[in-house]
Amino acid sequence: MAFIRTEDMIQWDSGEDLMHKLLHVPEQENPGSPFLSPGAAYLVSRAPLIALGALDEAGRPWVTVWGGESGFARSLGSSIIGIRTIVDKRYDPVALALLKSKGDGEVSGEAVKDRMVAGLAIDLETRSRIKLYGHMVAGSIDQVNGDGEQNFAQAQLVVRIEESLGNCPKYLNKKRIFPRLPTPNIVSSTLPLPQAAIDLIAKADLFFITSSNHRRDMDANYRGGPVGFVRVLENDERGTTLVYPEYSGNRLYQTLGNLQTTPRAGLVFPDLDTGDVLYMTATTEVLFKKDADALLARSNLAVRLLIEGAIFVEKGLSFRAVPGQPSPYNPSVRYLRTEKAALTQANMVKAGNAILIHKQRITPTISRFRFRIETPTDDTKWKPGQYVALGFEQELDMGYSHMRDDDPKSLNDDYLRTFTVSSMPDHNEFEITIRKVGVVTSFLFQQNDRAGFDVPIIGFGGEFHLHQTEEETISIVAGGIGITPFMAQFSSLDLARVRLYWSINQDDLNLVSEILAAHPHLASSTTIFVSGGNQKRRPSEAITSLEDSVRAVERRRLTKEDLIAGSDKIENWYLCANTSLRKSLLEWLEGKRVFYEDFNY
């Protein structure tokens, strides 16, 4: 088991602290791991793409995207990753910065000394991403088939990872990536941007961004939204300026924190249809509240980018993509105040409404809500293990007047919430089983199921599906309400070959009883770990009742030994728990195949 000493924990830097203060974010620990976590190592090996950020000799940030299929990158152990893939050796600014790719062969140690590298391993098809930061250890660039006339080559890069962090699937538009040999040709390396580059920005529903805290730290991440979410403010002899909105996210503000300390960013816009690619480096300005709205209508937070350098390359990518479903989180395009559309833009695109038809209180803080889909369509179909995104903006968004210190949770809130669907697929109705934890769930708990309350359905998403082959035993670990993604899937499993470890508060034991009543064959496979309350007192009636039915009831917290005992032959583990428990579980289950969905939206 790996322990993180307090002195080794990643601290917020001054830029992040400033963002948290400006946006009234409650105090929280930095969730990053100071090493390559098991989940990060797994995604690195499975992701078909990695965005890489680096600084050039002038200290300007640039970012690129490498890959094309899973397996081109992998963990080498001891928080080291290796990357081997085909790249554009002539025009890719990161290949030029890291690998000195004007020449061929091994890069010398002096060339890579202290070279920071930011990374983002991303699988758009499953909406999964992991942020990485570290330093380059070694690298080389070699010709393919010995042909020195080609503009592409095989790059090899070894990076020591010093920080990894999982990010949520918000705004990740689904794409199926497949490899394609690049044939790069330079189109433009000057400003203003050519019309073809402007057209690429206009049709983009994603880009990648890198930033740094001077030369001490770097960050690479994804930005996504509806087609056209990045707006061109100007592109002429006076300069080239872009603006994009920052949507509600995990409130860590790592990218924006860097932009506070070091207002420079690298951007890459990949054309996933043609393979064209636009690299840019820019100075930045983060805009808040009224300043953001004055430039980009209906925005609370936005970034203005003054482009200082650009490289537009035709067919420079080593991959293409088949488009899939847009993210259900995507709001409508937010237009510049100078654009006529800013005054007439429509509200968020919806997939119809859901009407509340039944509400059932299960525990003091957990209730089940059943909704009828007003107009069922193909967009309102879902699979077991998926979530539904509901929009409460019309009910709760009071505009800028609610941005005040006495209600910090409403700051930067888009009132889009995801809830795991806890019922089996039904074209007309669905259920969510949720805990009252914030402004939106508190509002929902107040609704009367006989009053006809309805809420817009933004869409269904997620891919957290349990796979159980014939005669295979799988293990499930749930923390409290984290049982919900499994509820809709128990009926499809051989429950005799399931091992369920469920950690739950004593006040929520009625949820356990209800689920076991619905799936009685699950009881003999279930071990309950009860926390909360006075553990020295005589067991409650609820605990006594469970002791007579389930495999075991432990009045203590779950430990590593509980999972390891008797599980040598179980390879596949499925987790849904809070950040703290999940972090421990990933350490305990090192060497096992672990699947989890990050529900920290």
Side-chain angles (χ1 to χ4, degrees):
M1 176 177 176
F3 291 93
I4 302 177
R5 299 177 302 175
T6 301
E7 58 267 30
D8 292 333
M9 294 179 66
I10 298 170
Q11 304 300 316
W12 300 115
D13 65 33
S14 59
E16 293 161 339
D17 280 336
L18 177 59
M19 287 298 303
H20 296 165
K21 181 179 179 180
L22 290 171
L23 294 179
H24 305 276
V25 176
E27 186 175 344
Q28 58 182 323
E29 291 183 353
N30 190 320
S33 299
F35 50 79
L36 183 68
S37 69
Y42 175 77
L43 186 58
V44 165
S45 68
R46 294 294 300 271
L49 298 176
I50 289 184
L52 292 172
L55 303 180
D56 65 13
E57 294 296 334
R60 300 181 304 173
W62 295 89
V63 63
T64 187
V65 191
W66 290 359
E69 57 186 339
S70 62
F72 77 98
R74 63 189 179 93
S75 169
L76 303 179
S78 300
S79 290
I80 304 289
I81 65 169
I83 301 171
R84 181 166 62 185
T85 188
I86 298 297
V87 302
D88 165 14
K89 73 169 186 177
R90 298 293 184 193
Y91 313 114
D92 183 325
V94 175
L96 290 167
L98 293 179
L99 301 175
K100 307 294 183 183
S101 64
K102 293 179 181 179
D104 299 321
E106 185 176 355
V107 180
S108 70
E110 284 299 315
V112 303
K113 185 178 180 181
D114 296 327
R115 183 73 71 175
M116 295 190 301
V117 179
L120 181 77
I122 187 167
D123 186 342
L124 290 168
E125 192 166 15
T126 63
R127 293 192 173 120
S128 305
R129 55 177 163 166
I130 290 285
K131 294 171 64 176
L132 306 166
Y133 165 71
H135 284 79
M136 183 174 169
V137 174
S140 67
I141 192 157
D142 303 288
Q143 293 299 332
V144 178
N145 299 324
D147 189 349
E149 299 301 317
Q150 297 170 334
N151 283 343
F152 62 87
Q154 179 175 268
Q156 298 190 73
L157 187 64
V158 180
V159 180
R160 180 181 68 256
I161 301 302
E162 297 160 21
E163 182 176 354
S164 61
L165 174 66
N167 267 198
C168 72
K170 264 188 170 182
Y171 317 118
L172 270 68
N173 300 308
K174 281 194 172 185
K175 318 278 184 186
R176 181 173 61 81
I177 303 297
F178 60 93
R180 181 69 63 87
L181 200 65
T183 55
N185 178 52
I186 189 74
V187 177
S188 173
S189 60
T190 60
L191 296 171
L193 296 172
Q195 186 58 46
I198 296 296
D199 293 342
L200 171 53
I201 295 170
K203 76 172 190 175
D205 65 356
L206 64 86
F207 70 92
F208 296 90
I209 184 169
T210 192
S211 59
S212 71
N213 181 2
H214 301 289
R215 292 182 180 270
R216 293 193 297 270
D217 190 12
M218 283 202 79
D219 177 87
N221 214 335
Y222 162 103
R223 291 294 185 267
V227 170
F229 77 106
V230 179
R231 312 307 296 171
V232 179
L233 181 63
E234 60 181 354
N235 182 52
D236 53 32
E237 66 281 355
R238 295 171 297 176
T240 299
T241 305
L242 310 182
V243 183
Y244 76 89
E246 280 284 345
Y247 301 135
S248 174
N250 56 19
R251 306 187 81 185
L252 301 183
Y253 299 115
Q254 294 175 314
T255 296
L256 298 189
N258 283 343
L259 300 187
Q260 293 288 358
T261 64
T262 315
R264 310 184 82 166
L267 314 170
V268 61
F269 284 78
D271 189 327
L272 301 179
D273 299 322
T274 67
D276 297 347
V277 57
L278 175 61
Y279 306 101
M280 292 181 284
T281 188
T283 57
T284 64
E285 181 184 8
V286 180
L287 304 171
F288 299 87
K289 301 181 184 180
K290 292 182 179 179
D291 291 336
D293 180 68
L295 187 62
L296 201 61
R298 298 179 62 245
S299 294
N300 297 329
L301 194 59
V303 178
R304 175 161 43 198
L305 303 136
L306 177 60
I307 307 303
E308 292 190 329
I311 306 169
F312 186 38
V313 182
E314 180 183 57
K315 294 181 172 56
L317 297 177
S318 60
F319 55 89
R320 303 289 189 274
V322 176
Q325 295 177 336
S327 170
Y329 283 98
N330 289 345
S332 58
V333 174
R334 296 174 182 175
Y335 293 94
L336 296 167
R337 285 294 183 187
T338 54
E339 297 178 274
K340 183 178 179 180
L343 303 176
T344 60
Q345 61 180 333
N347 289 331
M348 187 182 343
V349 176
K350 300 185 297 184
N353 284 352
I355 302 171
L356 179 63
I357 59 174
H358 184 65
K359 180 173 71 172
Q360 176 191 359
R361 181 176 177 179
I362 301 173
T363 79
T365 60
I366 296 175
S367 289
R368 177 174 296 121
F369 299 82
R370 188 166 189 85
F371 291 90
R372 185 179 74 250
I373 300 173
E374 188 174 42
T375 308
T377 67
D378 287 343
D379 291 331
T380 57
K381 293 180 179 179
W382 75 93
K383 297 179 292 186
Q386 290 193 307
Y387 57 77
V388 60
L390 302 176
F392 294 84
E393 182 180 20
Q394 294 177 5
E395 299 287 347
L396 296 174
D397 188 359
M398 300 171 59
Y400 289 109
S401 63
H402 82 295
M403 300 297 179
R404 52 186 183 268
D405 291 342
D406 62 343
D407 190 11
K409 289 187 178 181
S410 65
L411 264 168
N412 199 37
D413 198 338
D414 55 14
Y415 296 104
L416 295 182
R417 294 294 188 271
T418 59
F419 304 104
T420 306
V421 180
S422 55
S423 55
M424 290 290 290
D426 181 324
H427 193 42
N428 299 312
E429 297 180 0
F430 65 90
E431 289 182 350
I432 58 175
T433 304
I434 62 175
R435 186 186 300 278
K436 183 167 62 174
V437 292
V439 61
V440 171
T441 51
S442 295
F443 170 77
L444 189 54
F445 270 60
Q446 294 170 2
Q447 302 310 306
N448 190 319
D449 54 8
R450 292 173 291 180
F453 169 74
D454 63 348
V455 60
I457 301 172
I458 309 305
F460 292 86
E463 296 294 336
F464 192 44
H465 187 67
L466 304 183
H467 297 276
Q468 185 185 46
T469 59
E470 187 175 355
E471 298 185 359
E472 178 193 9
T473 298
I474 62 173
S475 286
I476 296 171
V477 185
I481 197 69
I483 196 69
T484 52
F486 309 114
M487 291 169 60
Q489 306 186 63
F490 284 139
S491 297
S492 63
L493 302 175
D494 180 351
L495 297 180
R497 292 186 289 106
V498 169
R499 296 292 178 266
L500 172 61
Y501 304 86
W502 190 357
S503 176
I504 194 162
N505 189 280
Q506 183 171 276
D507 293 338
D508 296 328
L509 287 177
N510 196 49
L511 177 63
V512 179
S513 300
E514 185 179 83
I515 291 176
L516 294 181
H519 305 281
H521 291 96
L522 183 63
S524 60
S525 303
T526 300
T527 301
I528 304 295
F529 298 85
V530 182
S531 61
N534 189 336
Q535 299 294 317
K536 295 181 179 180
R537 288 185 177 179
R538 183 178 178 181
S540 66
E541 184 177 337
I543 292 178
T544 303
S545 177
L546 286 173
E547 287 176 333
D548 293 336
S549 60
V550 300
R551 185 180 184 186
V553 175
E554 302 289 348
R555 300 179 68 196
R556 57 174 174 81
R557 295 186 180 277
L558 175 68
T559 67
K560 177 181 179 180
E561 288 68 29
D562 295 314
L563 304 183
I564 301 305
S567 64
D568 292 343
K569 297 182 179 180
I570 300 178
E571 290 298 320
N572 293 327
W573 292 72
Y574 296 86
L575 318 179
C576 187
N578 62 39
T579 303
S580 176
L581 177 56
R582 185 179 69 239
K583 188 174 183 178
S584 297
L585 291 170
L586 291 173
E587 294 171 353
W588 297 346
L589 296 172
E590 186 175 3
K592 301 288 187 180
R593 295 184 64 193
V594 180
F595 306 89
Y596 66 90
E597 182 92 78
D598 192 339
F599 289 95
N600 298 318
Y601 305 114

